Amino acid sequence: MRKDQRSMKEESKKMQSPCLEEVSQGCLHGCCPSPFLNQHEPQTKASKPRNSSAACRRDFASKTTSSIFPNTQFTNHESLPSMQDSFAEFTKAYPQYSDTYRVDQIRSREYYHLSFSDHTCLDYLGIGLFSYSQLQKQECPKYRIASSSFPVPPESPPPVLDIPFFGVSYKPGNLKTQLLHGGVASEFESVIRKRIMSFLNISENDYSMVFTANKTSAFKLVAESYPFQSNRKLLTVYDYESEAIEAMSNSSEKNGAKVMSAEFSWPRLRLQSSKLRNMLVSKEKKKKKKRRGLFVFPLHSRMTGARYPYLWMSIAEENGWHVLIDSCALGPKDMDSFGLSLFRPDFLICSFYKVFGENPSGFACLFAKKSTIPVLETSSTSGIIGLIPSQKLFRAVTESPGTDTEVENLASQSGRIEKGKTTYEIQHAEIVEKLKGIEMSEVSESDKGIEMECRGLDEVDSLGLVTISNRARCLINWLVSALLKLQHPNTNGTPLVRIYGPKVKFDRGPAIAFNVFDWKGEKIEPVLVQKLADRSNISLSYGFLHHIWFADKYQEEKEKVIERRNNEADGNKGKDKSDMGIAVVTAALGFLANFQDIYKLWAFIAQFLDADFVEKERWRYTSLNQKTIEVL
């Protein structure tokens, strides 16, 4: 193990560029700036802050530990300090958090429905939430309130009609042809494509791009087109179960691939670097130029928040692998740190969830390096889509003989917003009438309209990498610290929460995987925690950690924590190694997250310190059937 660590350090020294540092180098004290902010300066200048950067990271972790409720354990949810008192202590620990006030302004101006609904969204990363004011843009003038003439939100939200910003159509053909020659695209689609490539700092001279229906479609497209008959291996680096990766693995195996995965060491789920190196590095030097396969690298875990060094991409490329970067779990501006000018992967996949409007919910983008496209095979594939501007949807309705029916299809959902016990709703018939009355001039395809639909990207661009990263770093580390302060009463220090992966750490990602345990040490089902959170207006997710490696000294613990994934729905009742892992609750902080969101989650989790609360909800959960439960 020591030998492997030395070899990794030697590899790092060979590549002297400061850009090998991990994501989000801009620290709270300004002593370790992002390596890409001044990438045109001489390297000798950029390399000087390394010592101070390491010291800054240590100082951050130390200050977090010593400042967040020092020498305190909470054994009763009613004993928690108030949100106001907690925020005061939070800002003392992280004084630079106040520099991120512009995020709060954007949230207040563009997403004020979150305050009205009192909803806490902790189930998405990146730019995952549609702008409320974007929806207002689609409404009649009498409902359009988010404007320069009325910048302050009213006391109650106006009703929202679920009218799409754009539609999608599936494109026939195969991936290779689409990447090489493209196809007929509307001006709307072309502008959106250029805007996304600009946002991600990807050059049209080097990469081609297609829109896909979702993330899973993008991964499956690559698997169906990649030449696994000659480049036999697929190697992935995921500490959690991913529907997209599972679909890719299944398609790859059908095409002749040998599927492999990195492993993660218990208990901190650190990447097993020695094993990954052995899988990447070619032992046959004479055949070094031969392509070995496809290396799929996510940069960091969207569940545990663990980050992985960029160095692995270089090692893979040097040893004949094509590299696919999964950027779906990156923060909104992390691509600025990624630096495609230094690392040029063969493929890159990103997804946009509700960033361009509420309906449809989003799409994914698959980028391929133009020099790599020729190696792809021509195969029958599906999942590539085109974007249809909203006015074409309306034109199809207003010019069709079957106007009423088609309008009703567009108006299949009613707009709805809740504030406390009050529900604001627009009925189906009202949407139909509104669509019938739309004038084409109101939905003309203009640059101004497209700019409005890209408002989410513009907002993030205006904030920048350092602001977004610093904010997320403060919030996620406070949450980790606060959760670890919860302890069952009348026990020998039995913790309420167990966190998987990194804990307090300067460069951890804005996501956390954890489980809640009762006073007897028994795990509370993640799905129950998620359902109860939903009842409290908190959106969480749950997932499955896998590919976990246990050293001999942890074998006894392994028997206690490892469980088999329930695969009965798939008809798979075998004991496949990939079915073994840990079901967990997950929370992720988008760029709009604020202190109130994480405090609300902390206070919710603290309720599980009450043994009566746990037993009551467990009984309710069991009696209502675990598979179909709805917590009301």
Side-chain angles (χ1 to χ4, degrees):
M1 202 51 196
R2 292 180 180 176
K3 181 179 179 181
D4 179 66
Q5 290 175 347
R6 286 197 300 269
S7 60
M8 286 290 288
K9 289 180 180 179
E10 290 173 358
E11 289 286 351
S12 298
K13 290 179 180 178
K14 290 179 182 178
M15 307 179 72
Q16 291 297 320
S17 170
C19 302
L20 289 174
E21 299 285 347
E22 294 186 43
V23 173
S24 303
Q25 300 294 307
C27 77
L28 295 173
H29 309 289
C31 58
C32 42
S34 168
F36 294 101
L37 297 181
N38 299 299
Q39 60 182 329
H40 299 297
E41 294 183 6
Q43 291 187 1
T44 53
K45 290 184 179 180
S47 62
K48 285 182 180 180
R50 286 188 177 182
N51 291 335
S52 60
S53 174
C56 183
R57 291 161 184 266
R58 289 193 297 270
D59 178 66
F60 175 86
S62 175
K63 190 168 184 179
T64 296
T65 303
S66 61
S67 302
I68 308 302
F69 310 124
N71 304 316
T72 304
Q73 299 293 333
F74 299 100
T75 59
N76 187 323
H77 70 281
E78 294 180 348
S79 68
L80 299 185
S82 68
M83 186 178 70
Q84 290 77 12
D85 291 342
S86 298
F87 183 65
E89 293 301 313
F90 171 81
T91 53
K92 288 181 183 178
Y94 307 120
Q96 296 286 340
Y97 180 82
S98 60
D99 292 341
T100 70
Y101 69 93
R102 289 173 58 208
V103 179
D104 297 305
Q105 291 178 337
I106 289 174
R107 174 171 170 146
S108 175
R109 182 180 68 248
E110 301 286 341
Y111 305 88
Y112 54 84
H113 64 297
L114 294 175
S115 298
F116 287 122
S117 62
D118 192 31
H119 195 87
T120 297
C121 298
L122 300 176
D123 58 347
Y124 68 95
L125 277 170
I127 322 167
L129 201 63
F130 60 89
S131 166
Y132 186 85
S133 65
Q134 280 184 288
L135 295 183
Q136 295 300 301
K137 171 182 171 288
Q138 294 288 93
E139 305 309 315
C140 297
K142 66 178 180 179
Y143 292 139
R144 191 174 301 150
I145 62 172
S147 65
S148 57
S149 60
F150 193 0
V152 181
E155 294 183 0
S156 61
V160 177
L161 309 182
D162 188 14
I163 301 174
F165 284 97
F166 63 91
V168 299
S169 63
Y170 283 85
K171 292 185 176 182
N174 61 76
L175 176 62
K176 185 175 183 177
T177 300
Q178 288 289 338
L179 289 170
L180 284 174
H181 307 295
V184 178
S186 65
E187 180 185 351
F188 172 85
E189 182 175 324
S190 298
V191 171
I192 294 294
R193 184 192 310 274
K194 290 180 180 179
R195 182 67 185 91
I196 290 175
M197 296 187 82
S198 172
F199 178 75
L200 298 175
N201 295 327
I202 296 177
S203 170
E204 291 185 80
N205 296 326
D206 300 320
Y207 286 86
S208 293
M209 188 257 271
V210 295
F211 293 103
T212 66
N214 49 47
K215 174 182 175 180
T216 299
S217 296
F219 278 92
K220 194 173 180 182
L221 279 165
V222 176
E224 291 172 344
S225 304
Y226 190 78
F228 284 113
Q229 293 295 330
S230 56
N231 307 345
R232 304 284 300 183
K233 298 177 180 179
L234 172 68
L235 175 55
T236 63
V237 185
Y238 289 81
D239 61 4
Y240 62 93
E241 182 183 73
S242 165
E243 179 184 351
I245 296 304
E246 187 174 354
M248 179 181 225
S249 298
N250 291 338
S251 295
S252 300
E253 283 185 318
K254 291 178 182 179
N255 290 336
K258 177 184 177 182
V259 178
M260 305 180 296
S261 175
E263 293 186 335
F264 305 85
S265 299
W266 182 265
R268 296 195 176 184
L269 300 189
R270 288 176 173 169
L271 186 61
Q272 272 271 302
S273 57
S274 58
K275 290 185 179 181
L276 181 56
R277 172 179 286 277
N278 288 338
M279 288 188 281
L280 281 174
V281 175
S282 175
K283 296 179 181 178
E284 301 178 10
K285 300 296 182 181
K286 294 182 180 180
K287 297 182 179 181
K288 188 175 180 180
K289 293 183 179 180
K290 181 180 177 181
R291 286 292 180 179
R292 305 189 67 207
L294 184 62
F295 178 55
V296 182
F297 190 64
L299 295 177
H300 79 245
S301 169
R302 64 169 296 274
M303 283 196 182
T304 65
R307 294 194 186 273
Y308 311 125
Y310 294 168
L311 180 61
W312 290 112
M313 292 183 292
S314 297
I315 294 175
E317 290 176 349
E318 291 171 1
N319 286 274
W321 293 80
H322 286 111
V323 177
L324 185 157
I325 295 302
D326 175 5
S327 68
C328 297
L330 288 180
K333 291 299 292 179
D334 279 352
M335 282 296 290
D336 282 4
S337 177
F338 178 51
L340 284 177
S341 60
L342 294 160
F343 300 103
R344 294 179 180 271
D346 299 281
F347 306 96
L348 186 142
I349 293 173
C350 66
S351 62
F352 292 90
Y353 177 65
K354 290 188 175 181
V355 67
F356 292 112
E358 184 173 12
N359 182 18
S361 62
F363 52 80
C365 301
L366 167 58
F367 300 88
K369 190 160 61 174
K370 290 185 176 180
S371 60
T372 304
I373 296 173
V375 308
L376 297 178
E377 296 178 343
T378 301
S379 59
S380 176
T381 56
S382 62
I384 301 174
I385 63 170
L387 305 184
I388 304 173
S390 57
Q391 73 272 21
K392 286 191 176 181
L393 296 176
F394 296 134
R395 185 178 294 118
V397 170
T398 56
E399 295 179 358
S400 170
T403 297
D404 290 347
T405 301
E406 296 189 17
V407 169
E408 290 180 3
N409 288 336
L410 274 175
S412 59
Q413 293 183 336
S414 298
R416 181 177 180 138
I417 275 195
E418 296 182 0
K419 179 186 179 183
K421 296 183 179 180
T422 304
T423 299
Y424 300 85
E425 186 166 351
I426 293 297
Q427 298 300 323
H428 177 87
E430 188 171 343
I431 300 177
V432 172
E433 290 305 313
K434 177 183 174 183
L435 285 174
K436 286 181 180 178
I438 287 180
E439 296 290 338
M440 291 311 299
S441 59
E442 295 181 11
V443 289
S444 61
E445 187 175 2
S446 65
D447 291 340
K448 181 178 180 181
I450 293 174
E451 182 181 347
M452 287 291 288
E453 289 168 358
C454 295
R455 186 180 294 176
L457 302 186
D458 297 336
E459 292 162 353
V460 170
D461 273 338
S462 70
L463 293 170
L465 171 66
V466 173
T467 295
I468 293 173
S469 297
N470 281 345
R471 184 182 179 92
R473 182 178 297 116
C474 298
L475 293 172
I476 194 66
N477 279 286
W478 184 93
L479 178 61
V480 169
S481 298
L483 288 174
L484 294 176
K485 294 290 183 178
L486 302 177
Q487 195 174 97
H488 283 289
N490 305 317
T491 64
N492 295 322
T494 302
L496 176 67
V497 173
R498 178 162 200 166
I499 295 174
Y500 304 92
K503 296 182 175 58
V504 174
K505 192 174 182 181
F506 177 86
D507 53 4
R508 64 163 293 134
I512 181 175
F514 66 96
N515 273 316
V516 182
F517 294 82
D518 65 16
W519 65 274
K520 293 178 289 187
E522 295 180 2
K523 185 170 81 172
I524 299 170
E525 297 86 343
V527 64
L528 173 58
V529 177
Q530 190 260 353
K531 293 293 184 183
L532 292 175
D534 193 54
R535 190 175 74 182
S536 298
N537 256 6
I538 302 173
S539 294
L540 298 175
S541 299
Y542 58 91
F544 194 75
L545 301 177
H546 63 173
H547 300 311
I548 304 172
W549 179 83
F550 289 81
D552 291 340
K553 63 180 180 180
Y554 293 118
Q555 287 306 306
E556 185 176 342
E557 190 173 0
K558 177 181 179 180
E559 299 299 322
K560 297 179 180 179
V561 301
I562 287 292
E563 56 198 276
R564 188 168 78 86
R565 178 183 55 181
N566 186 354
N567 263 351
E568 293 182 4
D570 301 328
N572 179 11
K573 298 184 180 180
K575 293 186 178 180
D576 192 307
K577 184 178 178 181
S578 64
D579 291 338
M580 308 304 291
I582 304 172
V584 295
V585 183
T586 66
L589 309 186
F591 84 100
L592 291 171
N594 61 15
F595 183 79
Q596 181 179 355
D597 292 334
I598 59 172
Y599 179 89
K600 188 176 177 181
L601 173 60
W602 184 50
F604 162 74
I605 295 297
Q607 292 183 83
F608 290 87
L609 291 169
D610 183 349
D612 291 338
F613 169 80
V614 174
E615 291 305 315
K616 180 183 71 174
E617 296 302 342
R618 259 186 176 154
W619 176 86
R620 186 180 187 180
Y621 173 74
T622 303
S623 64
L624 291 178
N625 187 324
Q626 294 185 12
K627 292 183 180 179
T628 58
I629 178 175
E630 286 195 18
V631 180
L632 303 175

